[in-house]
Amino acid sequence: MNATRTICAATGFWLCLGGVVLAFLWHVSVGAKAIPLGTVWQAITAPQDGVFDHVVVRDLRMPRAIFALSVGAALSVAGALMQGVTRNPLAEPGILGLMAGATFAVIIGIGWFGLAGTAYVPLFAAIGALIGAVLVWTIASAAPGGATPLTLILSGAAVGGFLYAVESAAILLNEDTFRNFRVWLSGSLAGRDMATYLWALPWFIGGLIAALLIAHQITALAMGEETAAGLGVDTFKIKVAALGAVVVLTAAAVSVAGPLGFVGLVIPHLVRLFVGSDYRLIVPFSAIVGAGYVTLVDIAARVVLAPIEISTGIVTTMLGAPMFIWLVRVKL
Amino acid sequence: MKTLVWATATLFAVTSSALAQDTRTVTDDLGNVVEIPVTPQRIVVSRSDCLATPLIELGAPLIGAGSMQDDRFNNGKPFIRGATALYGTQFDADLVDIGFINQPDPEIIAALEPDLILIAAWAADNYDQLSAIAPTYAAACFDPPLKEWLATLADLVGMTAEHDRLMASYTFKLANTRAVFADRIGDPADVSVVFADPFDEGIYVADDYGTFTVVADDLGLSRITATDLGMLTDNGNLSFELVEELDADFIFSSHQSFFGQPPSHQMEVWRSNVPGFDDLLHAPRNNQLVIVDRSLVRAFAVDGLNTMLAVLTSQIAERDFVPLAE
Amino acid sequence: MSTTTLIGFGGRLALRVPYRAALVSLGLTFAIIGVLTWSLMTGSYPLDSTQVWATLFGNSPSDTASTVVWEFRFPRTLVALLVGAFLALSGAALQYVTRNPLADPSLVGVSQGAALVVVSVTILAPGMGSYLRPILAFGGSLAVAALILLASSSRRGGDTLRFILMGIGVAALISSFTSALLTYGDIDRAMSALGWLAGSVHSVGWDEVRWLSVTAFFVIPAFMAAARPLSAIRFGEDVATGLGIRVRMARWGLIILAVALAATAVAAVGALGFVGLVAPHLARRLAHSGVGMHLVLTGLTGALLVGLADFAGRAAFAPIQIPAGLVTAIIGVPVFVALILRTQARSQL
């Protein structure tokens, strides 16, 4: 990286960070209840006990905004790593079965073992994500022709469809179980408890740090395995590290918000348009832009049909699937 | 051999037509024109809440009903939503489980040889099969107001007299209760009530929620509805940010222990989603938040109305409470 | 019925196929007849086998027995078999055309299109009556398939890879609308729509048998006629072109036939997932053969699979009826994984 580029990147980074702060402030300023900006500011800077407007800002909106930021960053970085390692522009935790696996495991954990709000939720999610990823990869590489992008995506869809069928079978005979799970299954940031988030926080941080540490090698890997090996990269080790980071990030995101589709697909592509193919830039920018994106999507989810809120996951899919379609048309 | 069969069949046909009761023609909620017996003797229904429960209360000849199942209720045995909680009704030889409410087993129904089948209009894709067994009436039983539906159903099974007797008990108690309200409160419209169930995704508030709506309206209480709150549909959840709009003299929520929602859990959902909930709203502040059994709220039965009447009377009129300052 | 049509074609094509394949198809046919008989004999209504035979030959012990056998068990089993064959053939065609062993009609938008239309109508216009569901489902899946076809053809020419990926993208988009409706629609109606979608072989009658048979009569011969180009496409586009086959036309023709078969099946019974994925692989494992014979085997395997799934779904936990679609998904996928792993293990030796 030469000096000009470094300056450019640094400027861009700070600009994006500023954008995220603005998105955060916007998130806590709007909602079903109209609260004057002055009151919002007061709630942030000088909160008073017993003022419900301050409670709304500090206890209802701010945690949710923080969840949105974390989940957005985690999923986008996971998507970026997957796209780099598999050299597949359509790779993403949702498309390649990790999210379905994590969601399934969380449902089992909460529904059967009553683990809601405990340290085990992210752990369950991680095991589920790992099993999902391994399953998808095994099926795809067992198919004739090997793990091509198409085969991976199809086997991801098959694994997702299978887990969804098992979930449906479990909820089909009981209307109230269905009521309790239908919002969760569509991916939502509403009503998530702080306890789960705090348990997931180390996972978020660990995953992001790991991603930043291997970003340099991912750049080499994205250019092809031979190139990477030629540059002295231990491809197997990096692949395992990347898989670990992706699983950890997906698990953290799913245990907080359920499955939010297509975030990991949209953001890295958007970022790549501006910063090129260096993963030392793609990873941090994906994190920051992804955080802002999910925060904005969550604002829309909360205000479009106010006073009713819609699931964040439904909105991310409605926005992300057209992006997927566009990518297929343009890139393939 | 064949002659013998025909002879038997003819004989059977003659005897059964001699025994057959009078029929009448009705149009169901899907527009099917159905010829049903005036006083059916063997009734089978798919839905347990809006069909089986009121028929059990009426004492109608119900021989089969759809079931639900949950590990946490009725020892994991199939149950009739509503009737099992209200009356302890169990499936047995006289009341047969025909399978899940939305997808009953037609062969079991056939084996029961019913003379009238009632199903829900929104789960009627097996209508043709069922009507091959017996006259089948598809009812949109959640759409009409509760009291109206109970009367319609009683009429369908030819038990209007029984229904009127049951309703008379309610009407009588209602008149008495109004006197109690007049004595203690004066104008019941001065008391505001709201029915709100907290879920992690938001607060469920409906325009029309079972026995609570009927009794609150019959008593003339001021009721906060989903429409008052500007909600687009009955099925969305109100954002917790707007919880202050539920400020009323009384808040009623419901618990359903067997779906993992015991009363303590419902209070926990309120408190975890609205920090400072106990001091924020008038009702919890003054011990005027009441958690009732959801089976009672969703009971499609006159008995449910009577019990709800007793609950509202004891909670509102038969004790002192702190009115919400205007 | 389609079964006989298949065998007719199979017989003609059997000239070129190994002995084993013919034997296996005969075995499958017997198994299907076995499932049919078994399904006719079994159910919650108490009838012993002599009574069932009597009913079938017109000496029914009672009107109810006649209704149970003729109106419930018979059409239901036939529809399960037909739908199984349809989905299996549809899956096989998609796999050949895309030269990808993981293609399946339920993964590329056909089922999702049907789902969206059925769920919207059930939730937004509940008064319309559920007997309209088949027509709506058919319209929905065709519309979505057309949309995918349109979106995946471009100036650079149609590409089947793009067709599959486009299908997955459109399927995801459409599913998000469906899940919005399911999440915020009336809970009872959502449940009913979900139940229907999960594969509702339980509510079919002779009407479905009739129009499935008519479809089989017209589509399956066309399908078999396509067997020749299929076998060429399997070796790649260049080979096929070299053999003088108009590859593009054959491809799109097959995709359209595949979509039509799947849409008809979905219209009859809702979404039965993974039959199209599993049946072609299972058929290939049973006997190696040319494309024509493989299609025959695939159709028979699919029929057998769904016939068994429906039977298991209604008999295993009676009176609770497990939708056949859940049975096919829950059993089909592990079977598929096992199959594909064993195939790989063998090819590595």
Side-chain angles (χ1 to χ4, degrees):
Chain A
M1 265 195 283
N2 59 41
T4 342
R5 282 209 57 193
T6 316
I7 292 165
C8 264
T11 320
F13 187 81
W14 289 113
L15 278 177
C16 287
L17 203 59
V20 170
V21 172
L22 282 181
F24 180 86
L25 291 175
W26 189 15
H27 190 285
V28 299
S29 309
V30 297
K33 188 177 202 312
I35 300 177
L37 278 179
T39 316
V40 173
W41 187 245
Q42 205 185 11
I44 298 172
T45 53
Q48 286 167 326
D49 279 346
V51 180
F52 187 61
D53 281 353
H54 290 189
V55 172
V56 168
V57 172
R58 293 186 68 87
D59 294 322
L60 298 184
R61 292 181 187 169
M62 258 160 64
R64 190 167 167 162
I66 292 169
F67 298 166
L69 291 172
S70 316
V71 168
L75 289 177
S76 306
V77 170
L81 291 184
M82 291 176 79
Q83 288 164 19
V85 171
T86 60
R87 276 178 291 137
N88 174 355
L90 301 174
E92 196 257 332
I95 294 172
L96 296 190
L98 281 90
M99 214 173 253
T103 309
F104 185 73
V106 169
I107 285 180
I108 298 281
I110 292 178
W112 281 6
F113 301 106
L115 297 179
T118 66
Y120 297 105
V121 177
L123 186 67
F124 259 66
I127 297 170
L130 187 64
I131 294 176
V134 169
L135 206 59
V136 168
W137 187 266
T138 319
I139 295 177
S141 28
T148 61
L150 176 61
T151 321
L152 274 171
I153 288 163
L154 279 171
S155 88
V159 169
F162 167 65
L163 293 176
Y164 189 76
V166 178
E167 287 155 17
S168 314
I171 60 178
L172 203 63
L173 297 180
N174 193 328
E175 287 180 330
D176 288 60
T177 319
F178 176 54
R179 159 170 278 155
N180 292 344
F181 273 121
R182 61 180 178 170
V183 175
W184 154 265
L185 274 177
S186 62
S188 165
L189 287 162
R192 298 297 173 224
D193 58 28
M194 205 57 185
T196 307
Y197 178 75
L198 290 178
W199 286 117
L201 192 59
W203 296 70
F204 279 117
I205 296 171
L208 287 176
I209 291 176
L212 285 169
L213 289 179
I214 56 172
H216 182 59
Q217 286 94 324
I218 299 282
T219 315
L221 208 56
M223 290 188 278
E225 298 222 3
E226 284 94 39
T227 322
L231 289 169
V233 174
D234 183 344
T235 53
F236 180 75
K237 228 162 99 184
I238 292 305
K239 275 184 177 172
V240 171
L243 176 67
V246 167
V247 164
V248 164
L249 288 169
T250 309
V254 170
S255 43
V256 171
L260 293 186
F262 291 98
V263 175
L265 181 81
V266 175
I267 299 306
H269 282 287
L270 191 69
V271 167
R272 226 174 266 123
L273 285 181
F274 295 98
V275 307
S277 56
D278 186 343
Y279 276 80
R280 279 173 300 174
L281 292 178
I282 293 177
V283 169
F285 273 97
S286 290
I288 213 97
V289 176
Y293 171 73
V294 173
T295 310
L296 291 178
V297 166
D298 195 44
I299 294 173
R302 293 187 310 135
V303 298
V304 167
L305 290 182
I308 293 170
E309 297 174 347
I310 54 177
S311 286
T312 322
I314 290 176
V315 184
T316 59
T317 307
M318 280 176 184
L319 294 172
M323 167 84 179
F324 179 93
I325 293 169
W326 177 80
L327 276 174
V328 171
R329 275 191 76 91
V330 174
K331 296 243 169 168
L332 289 165
Chain B
M1 177 66 195
K2 203 155 192 174
T3 339
L4 188 68
V5 171
W6 271 113
T8 325
T10 322
L11 190 68
F12 183 73
V14 170
T15 35
S16 60
S17 68
L19 288 172
Q21 328 103 338
D22 299 327
T23 60
R24 62 183 178 131
T25 308
V26 290
T27 307
D28 73 5
D29 290 331
L30 293 177
N32 300 303
V33 178
V34 196
E35 199 177 320
I36 61 167
V38 173
T39 47
Q41 298 304 312
R42 301 179 65 79
I43 307 171
V44 167
V45 302
S46 67
R47 282 301 295 201
S48 48
D49 42 15
C50 63
L51 295 169
T53 301
L55 290 177
I56 289 169
E57 178 180 49
L58 279 172
L62 183 71
I63 56 168
S67 66
M68 291 176 75
Q69 218 167 341
D70 192 290
D71 292 344
R72 290 161 290 195
F73 184 61
N74 202 25
N75 298 322
K77 286 183 296 179
F79 63 93
I80 297 181
R81 185 159 196 189
T84 303
L86 287 177
Y87 312 119
T89 312
Q90 298 288 344
F91 287 108
D92 54 27
D94 299 322
L95 179 57
V96 175
D97 178 6
I98 60 165
F100 180 59
I101 46 173
N102 282 342
Q103 211 181 76
D105 185 339
E107 293 197 16
I108 291 193
I109 301 178
L112 290 172
E113 299 185 342
D115 58 2
L116 176 65
I117 300 173
L118 300 172
I119 58 174
W122 63 87
D125 37 321
N126 50 2
Y127 184 87
D128 290 342
Q129 290 183 340
L130 297 181
S131 57
I133 302 172
T136 304
Y137 185 99
C141 52
F142 282 167
D143 291 354
L146 177 58
K147 281 198 280 190
E148 201 177 290
W149 166 244
L150 293 180
T152 310
L153 181 66
D155 173 59
L156 269 177
V157 300
M159 299 188 76
T160 305
E162 285 79 356
H163 171 72
D164 290 347
R165 206 173 305 136
L166 288 169
M167 277 309 285
S169 73
Y170 172 67
T171 318
F172 180 83
K173 287 174 187 162
L174 183 64
N176 267 352
T177 308
R178 283 206 178 110
V180 175
F181 270 78
D183 174 55
R184 296 277 296 179
I185 290 160
D187 185 3
D190 291 342
V191 181
S192 56
V193 294
V194 63
F195 193 96
D197 259 341
F199 289 90
D200 276 339
E201 291 78 25
I203 310 165
Y204 178 78
V205 186
D207 277 339
D208 183 356
Y209 202 35
T211 56
F212 176 83
T213 308
V214 175
V215 176
D217 289 359
D218 282 347
L219 285 172
L221 304 171
S222 295
R223 194 165 57 83
I224 300 174
T225 64
T227 311
D228 295 338
L229 299 168
M231 290 164 74
L232 285 175
T233 79
D234 251 17
N235 295 288
N237 293 318
L238 186 75
S239 166
F240 278 106
E241 292 185 10
L242 297 177
V243 70
E244 286 171 307
E245 304 200 9
L246 301 176
D247 216 0
D249 287 319
F250 289 90
I251 296 178
F252 288 85
S253 300
S254 68
H255 67 91
Q256 187 86 299
S257 303
F258 50 95
F259 294 129
Q261 298 160 348
S264 59
H265 174 264
Q266 294 304 86
M267 273 322 291
E268 185 47 42
V269 177
W270 274 124
R271 289 180 181 135
S272 69
N273 284 291
V274 186
F277 177 73
D278 292 288
D279 291 320
L280 177 66
L281 297 184
H282 176 81
R285 201 162 47 224
N286 295 292
N287 204 12
Q288 280 154 218
L289 183 143
V290 183
I291 301 187
V292 295
D293 187 343
R294 196 175 306 153
S295 303
L296 171 62
V297 186
R298 278 185 54 130
F300 283 77
V302 179
D303 189 48
L305 295 177
N306 284 332
T307 312
M308 185 55 83
L309 188 62
V311 168
L312 292 188
T313 314
S314 67
Q315 291 293 341
I316 298 173
E318 294 176 338
R319 66 155 177 152
D320 287 327
F321 70 89
V322 184
L324 177 67
E326 285 306 316
Chain C
M1 234 95 340
S2 74
T3 329
T4 37
T5 327
L6 278 170
I7 294 162
F9 273 94
R12 190 162 65 80
L13 293 167
L15 293 174
R16 290 191 292 127
V17 303
Y19 187 63
R20 183 186 151 98
L23 212 63
V24 168
S25 67
L26 201 67
L28 283 173
T29 313
F30 278 120
I32 287 173
I33 294 170
V35 168
L36 178 64
T37 322
W38 199 14
S39 295
L40 287 177
M41 301 290 175
T42 320
S44 319
Y45 190 80
L47 281 175
D48 59 34
S49 49
T50 34
Q51 286 169 315
V52 173
W53 283 121
T55 310
L56 286 176
F57 291 106
N59 296 319
S60 170
S62 69
D63 283 357
T64 317
S66 162
T67 308
V68 166
V69 174
W70 280 107
E71 301 299 323
F72 297 170
R73 296 185 190 169
F74 215 133
R76 174 177 184 157
T77 314
L78 287 180
V79 166
L81 296 172
L82 282 167
V83 160
F86 278 27
L87 290 171
L89 287 174
S90 173
L94 286 178
Q95 291 176 12
Y96 275 121
V97 170
T98 59
R99 274 184 288 140
N100 192 299
L102 300 179
D104 178 83
S106 67
L107 302 182
V108 295
V110 176
S111 313
Q112 287 81 355
L116 178 61
V117 178
V118 169
V119 170
S120 333
V121 171
T122 312
I123 287 170
L124 302 176
M128 264 176 85
S130 34
Y131 51 87
L132 279 173
R133 279 176 182 172
I135 304 160
L136 294 165
F138 187 69
S141 36
L142 278 195
V144 169
L147 183 76
I148 296 168
L149 283 174
L150 213 68
S152 53
S153 66
S154 73
R155 275 159 284 132
R156 283 174 291 159
D159 182 348
T160 45
L161 170 79
R162 208 165 334 129
F163 168 76
I164 295 278
L165 291 176
M166 204 59 93
I168 287 177
V170 172
L173 182 61
I174 286 174
S175 303
S176 72
F177 288 105
T178 311
S179 79
L181 282 166
L182 285 177
T183 311
Y184 299 103
D186 179 282
I187 192 115
D188 300 289
R189 286 168 192 150
M191 285 288 289
S192 144
L194 263 191
W196 186 83
L197 283 169
S200 46
V201 184
H202 70 282
S203 59
V204 298
W206 285 105
D207 281 347
E208 281 84 358
V209 177
R210 237 165 265 139
W211 50 261
L212 283 173
S213 309
V214 171
T215 315
F217 184 77
F218 285 108
V219 175
I220 292 186
F223 210 86
M224 287 301 170
R228 254 178 62 82
L230 265 185
S231 55
I233 287 176
R234 198 163 56 139
F235 295 113
E237 201 155 318
D238 299 338
V239 182
T241 320
L243 288 171
I245 291 160
R246 300 169 76 180
V247 176
R248 271 193 70 186
M249 244 182 70
R251 271 187 168 176
W252 289 113
L254 277 165
I255 286 185
I256 289 165
L257 285 176
V259 167
L261 280 177
T264 319
V266 172
V269 303
L272 288 182
F274 302 101
V275 180
L277 187 67
V278 180
H281 292 274
L282 213 52
R284 197 168 293 121
R285 293 270 303 172
L286 288 173
H288 284 283
S289 61
V291 172
M293 196 64 209
H294 177 239
L295 284 180
V296 173
L297 291 175
T298 301
L300 292 173
T301 313
L304 190 61
L305 277 180
V306 178
L308 280 173
D310 179 47
F311 178 74
R314 85 183 156 96
F317 299 101
I320 288 172
Q321 311 266 291
I322 313 283
L326 294 183
V327 181
T328 57
I330 291 169
I331 296 172
V333 172
V335 168
F336 172 72
V337 173
L339 277 179
I340 203 158
L341 291 182
R342 285 192 61 181
T343 317
Q344 190 206 28
R346 289 201 327 169
S347 63
Q348 276 173 346
L349 288 176

